[in-house]
Amino acid sequence: MKRTLLFLLTLCLFLQLAGCGGGGGGGGGTTANASPAVITVTLSTIGTLPSGKLIGDIEVTLNLPAGVTVKASPSLVNTSILVPNDGVIALQGAAATATTQILTATYVQGTTNKVVIKLINANGLGLGDFAKINCDVASGSTPSISDFSTTSNVASTTGVFDLDTAALSGVQVTSSAVMQ
């Protein structure tokens, strides 16, 4: 009997708490908090691959404009490093179906936020789209599509390498963005 009574009291307490709401915005109308806009950035390789060569490694940073972020959480291995949450980066093209590859990404917060990406594919990739990054835009921010850029993670290279780890100077990574 005591268990039943305790259960009912607990249930009543939860129901009362669930019924407590935040009132409304006082005065005349209701205002809903707008969810942030979303921008999807597509990363692609462009240029000319030497005959018989494929892309084996891409090491680039996506530079985000002010007011643009990605959802990220602390790494399970090192909590001082942020990693993009599931669904933030979606592989595209041949990279989406490849079974022998490794994708690592970190999110670096600062005056300009960055997503650092390394994609290694053992079988090689051709030119074209390889990843989409879903970014959030803070309320009040109005980034331009041209405010997004990519830079190589490896000095004196385009950040694109063949299967033998030789730099592919004729291939570079470009980005395009679409407001959702």
Side-chain angles (χ1 to χ4, degrees), residues 62-109:
L62 173 64
N63 304 298
L64 306 176
V68 177
T69 61
V70 298
K71 290 177 180 66
S73 302
S75 165
L76 296 175
V77 177
N78 181 345
T79 57
S80 66
I81 296 173
L82 294 175
V83 294
N85 291 352
D86 288 343
V88 169
I89 299 175
L91 294 175
Q92 300 296 300
T97 58
T99 57
T100 54
Q101 68 186 1
I102 298 170
L103 171 70
T104 61
T106 56
Y107 176 57
V108 181
Q109 293 177 311

Side-chain angles (χ1 to χ4, degrees), residues 127-180:
L127 298 173
D129 297 352
F130 66 89
K132 284 194 180 192
I133 294 103
N134 297 306
C135 305
D136 296 321
V137 180
S139 179
S141 292
T142 54
S144 169
I145 304 282
S146 62
D147 292 338
F148 293 85
S149 66
T150 58
T151 53
S152 171
N153 295 347
V154 182
S156 302
T157 71
T158 62
V160 183
F161 304 87
D162 68 13
L163 291 169
D164 298 319
T165 68
L168 293 168
S169 60
V171 179
Q172 62 185 1
V173 175
T174 186
S175 64
S176 61
V178 176
M179 181 78 80
Q180 305 279 321

